[in-house]
Amino acid sequence: GENVEQHPSTLSVQEGDSAVIKCTYSDSASNYFPWYKQELGKGPQLIIDIRSNVGEKKDQRIAVTLNKTAKHFSLHITETQPEDSAVYFCAAGQGAQKLVFGQGTRLTINP
Amino acid sequence: GAVVSQHPSRVICKSGTSVKIECRSLDFQATTMFWYRQFPKQSLMLMATSNEGSKATYEQGVEKDKFLINHASLTLSTLTVTSAHPEDSSFYICSAREQGDTQYFGPGTRLTVL
């Protein structure tokens, strides 16, 4: 079955700098890769997703890149702000099947 | 759009009692709903997948008689924790999917069993 590895587990950056979180997956059949942001005591919120037919997707300060050959995908947050502090989860899935989640990255933005 | 609600947000119960958690998709019809459990500082653990009108599919190691799931309509799924014990205390989160692959999560329910 699918296995998703996420790094780093914790990340601390200065406000205004960029943050990058990386994930690798094992199943080459996976074709859907969402990223979720979870704030303390809340449910995960979908922030961006990418499908295997594209290599990059951007939404304002957030971007995701996908390398199908290497089976890894990354989340890029630019111009970080204190409200970006949260736990971020990557996931991989195939069509309508279940998602497999990474272990999570605790991102802290230092003012 | 794509709003999922859960009720209650917090529940405290005595050991041995049963607790029901509701998950609703407010602005779309959810053909599939998922139930997750999350321990502090850990990732999401999928418990079961439910499709409207059919029996839930449980993940390995999840007791189906203990965690009863009902998906009676396209907007409502319920999770009942039967004969709850302190080790069942956790954060339970549902997600819902309309068509395709995108899952939207509810806000979660914090269960504390005394």
Side-chain angles (χ1 to χ4, degrees), chain A residues 6-83:
Chain A
Q6 183 173 347
H7 298 282
S9 57
T10 61
L11 179 61
S12 183
V13 302
Q14 287 299 119
E15 182 178 354
D17 288 349
S18 296
V20 180
I21 303 171
K22 299 181 179 181
C23 289
T24 60
Y25 61 99
S26 61
D27 189 348
S28 57
S30 290
N31 57 10
Y32 176 62
F33 308 93
W35 285 89
Y36 290 89
K37 175 184 180 181
Q38 186 178 28
E39 296 178 347
L40 189 63
K42 298 184 179 180
Q45 176 190 7
L46 178 69
I47 56 172
I48 197 167
D49 57 12
I50 192 168
R51 292 173 177 81
S52 59
N53 57 343
V54 298
E56 184 174 357
K57 184 177 179 180
K58 189 173 182 179
D59 182 4
Q60 299 183 343
R61 296 186 297 109
I62 295 173
V64 57
T65 58
L66 171 65
N67 183 325
K68 287 188 294 182
T69 302
K71 293 206 281 284
H72 67 70
F73 56 111
S74 300
L75 176 70
H76 303 253
I77 306 174
T78 60
E79 300 173 21
T80 53
Q81 301 168 3
E83 52 265 37

Side-chain angles (χ1 to χ4, degrees), chain A residues 36 38 43-44 51 95-96 98 102, chain B residues 38 43 59 97 101 103 105 107:
Chain A
Y36 290 89
Q38 186 178 28
R51 292 173 177 81
K98 64 184 181 183
Chain B
Q38 187 177 36
S43 189
E59 294 298 302
R97 185 176 67 200
D101 45 27
Q103 287 187 35
F105 283 83

Side-chain angles (χ1 to χ4, degrees), chain B residues 6-27:
Chain B
Q6 273 184 249
H7 178 80
S9 57
R10 289 177 173 269
V11 58
I12 301 173
C13 69
K14 292 183 178 180
S15 187
T17 60
S18 294
V19 174
K20 180 183 284 189
I21 302 170
E22 291 186 351
C23 176
R24 293 182 184 271
S25 56
L26 299 185
D27 52 2

